[in-house]
Amino acid sequence: WRSRSYSDLRLISAKTYNRVEGLPILIGPSFGHRSGDLRFQLDALGIFRTGDHLEWNSRTIGHSVKTELALGRGAGVAVGGRLFDVVDPAEQWQLSDAEVGLASFFLHRDFRDYYNRHGGSGYVRLSLNNNVSLTGSLSDERWSAPGALDPFTLFRNGQDWRPNPGMDEGAFHIANGTLRIDTRSDEDDPRSGWKIVADYEHGTGRTTRFGATSPGVRDPDPDGVTTYGRGFLDLRRYNRLSPEGQLNVRVVAGGWLNGDELPLQRRFSLGGPGALDGYPFRRTGSGDDVRQCSNGVDIPLGVPAQCERMVLFQAEYRGDLWMSFLGDFDFNDSWRHGGWRH
């Protein structure tokens, strides 16, 4: 049994460069202590959103204070809490943070919409082993809709950013139950294994301002009172067929389960580079767009995701591309490495 403590002053950047924050910079102290299988950690970080103007105000300043007490290695239990004033994406299942950040910085294309969350939460996480965990959380938070800024991009810097759609605003109490299973051989470049995320969310609250939607999409309560149930499943299977070949499949399903209509922050779409590529992203004024559940009518602040339910199935084969320009295209050439592989 060994005890060990550490304390740091951290200066780090968030993962995603985007049109609402620019490059968020996080700075603050971090403290941790371990005694045998018992671990305690505290991070108190201020957030400075660079955006397009280096100003010190409530729009450019946020915070994330998180503490956790955990018992056990592999299998164990953890209890934690968080105070936050952060900008979160409305949908983050289609593309990774790195992909969104690169597209924003280099190509002036931000493929997410964002909203502000301000409040606190607490959670309990039960880990059966290093691969399986079950988390229950409660939060009390206020949602608001930030507008797009004008951060620098390497290309197309003179173009206007796509507007950040106006989301629902109000105070909400949210309960979540989340199951995570991850048996992948490698987190960044998996060759085999499962990744499963299943979440149920129960929300109650009062909306003080409704975001604009296409006509007929919803019929909200004039008083803004809402109680809803929402489910989400992201199931991925990675299969290694040969040293060079993979067959990977993914099923994503989510949407309304019970109660009132979903807030805009909790709705879905199918359009985008991470789902159905090859179509204009969040188009307006060009007829029905079933991928966003939009009838094509222009919305002043941009088109948000408006679907209450969606199911998506994807299959992907990955393997070597073999070419032989000087050989005789004999099948055995591939075993003799007589061509080029990529």
Side-chain angles (χ1 to χ4, degrees):
W1 299 85
R2 295 182 178 180
S3 295
R4 185 176 70 88
S5 298
Y6 73 88
S7 60
D8 297 318
L9 179 62
R10 297 187 175 183
L11 176 62
I12 56 178
S13 64
K15 297 180 180 179
T16 307
Y17 191 87
N18 62 78
R19 70 190 188 284
V20 172
E21 298 177 284
L23 180 66
I25 304 297
L26 285 69
I27 182 171
S30 178
F31 171 79
H33 178 76
R34 168 174 285 179
S35 179
D37 288 339
L38 184 66
R39 305 183 306 281
F40 173 78
Q41 183 173 346
L42 172 64
D43 297 319
L45 301 175
I47 303 173
F48 181 57
R49 306 178 181 109
T50 56
D52 55 346
H53 299 292
L54 299 181
E55 300 177 350
W56 189 275
N57 53 46
S58 59
R59 186 179 183 183
T60 59
I61 301 298
H63 61 266
S64 176
V65 180
K66 181 179 179 181
T67 182
E68 180 178 283
L69 180 66
L71 177 64
R73 301 183 182 182
V77 62
V79 180
R82 185 184 179 204
L83 299 175
F84 50 84
D85 181 358
V86 297
V87 172
D88 268 2
E91 283 189 295
Q92 57 182 349
W93 60 270
Q94 293 191 7
L95 295 176
S96 68
D97 291 339
E99 290 171 320
V100 171
L102 291 173
S104 298
F105 180 75
F106 286 98
L107 303 178
H108 204 88
R109 295 291 184 267
D110 189 342
F111 295 105
R112 284 178 176 172
D113 298 325
Y114 304 89
Y115 70 106
N116 182 263
R117 298 174 59 215
H118 189 183
S121 65
Y123 64 90
V124 177
R125 183 178 66 250
L126 176 64
S127 300
L128 304 182
N129 49 49
N130 290 325
N131 306 118
V132 182
S133 68
L134 180 63
T135 304
S137 65
L138 295 172
S139 65
D140 186 6
E141 53 194 80
R142 178 170 290 277
W143 296 346
S144 60
L149 301 177
D150 189 21
F152 170 81
T153 60
L154 194 60
F155 302 103
R156 303 170 179 164
N157 190 51
Q159 296 183 4
D160 292 332
W161 287 95
R162 180 175 61 88
N164 189 56
M167 298 290 176
D168 294 344
E169 300 186 6
F172 290 86
H173 307 283
I174 298 174
N176 281 90
T178 307
L179 172 67
R180 297 180 183 273
I181 301 174
D182 193 344
T183 64
R184 294 175 296 171
S185 56
D186 184 89
E187 185 174 331
D188 297 322
D189 186 20
R191 302 303 302 271
S192 62
W194 292 90
K195 182 183 180 182
I196 303 173
V197 178
D199 177 81
Y200 175 75
E201 176 178 308
H202 178 78
T204 61
R206 184 184 183 91
T207 304
T208 56
R209 182 178 180 181
F210 291 97
T213 64
S214 299
V217 167
R218 62 177 178 178
D219 184 19
D221 187 328
D223 295 329
V225 178
T226 182
T227 299
Y228 66 88
R230 174 188 185 268
F232 178 75
L233 172 68
D234 189 347
L235 184 151
R236 312 181 194 189
R237 174 61 186 177
Y238 300 87
N239 303 281
R240 188 174 185 179
L241 304 181
S242 68
E244 300 85 12
Q246 281 182 271
L247 178 62
N248 307 324
V249 295
R250 183 184 186 188
V251 177
V252 181
W256 177 91
L257 295 179
N258 54 67
D260 298 319
E261 296 177 317
L262 294 177
L264 284 182
Q265 282 87 339
R266 295 298 185 259
R267 296 201 173 208
F268 295 91
S269 68
L270 281 176
L276 298 180
D277 199 1
Y279 296 90
F281 185 73
R282 296 288 199 268
R283 67 180 183 181
T284 59
S286 55
D288 292 348
D289 186 355
V290 296
R291 293 168 295 115
Q292 322 300 336
C293 297
S294 167
N295 60 10
V297 176
D298 282 332
I299 299 175
L301 290 179
V303 180
Q306 301 178 89
C307 302
E308 284 207 301
R309 292 192 183 99
M310 69 91 183
V311 177
L312 174 71
F313 173 80
Q314 291 178 314
E316 172 193 70
Y317 175 77
R318 301 179 66 181
D320 282 353
L321 174 64
W322 180 80
M323 297 174 289
S324 178
F325 294 104
L326 302 176
D328 56 2
F329 297 99
D330 191 325
F331 172 80
N332 291 324
D333 280 351
S334 62
W335 298 102
R336 295 196 300 266
H337 303 287
W340 294 350
R341 289 177 178 268
H342 179 68

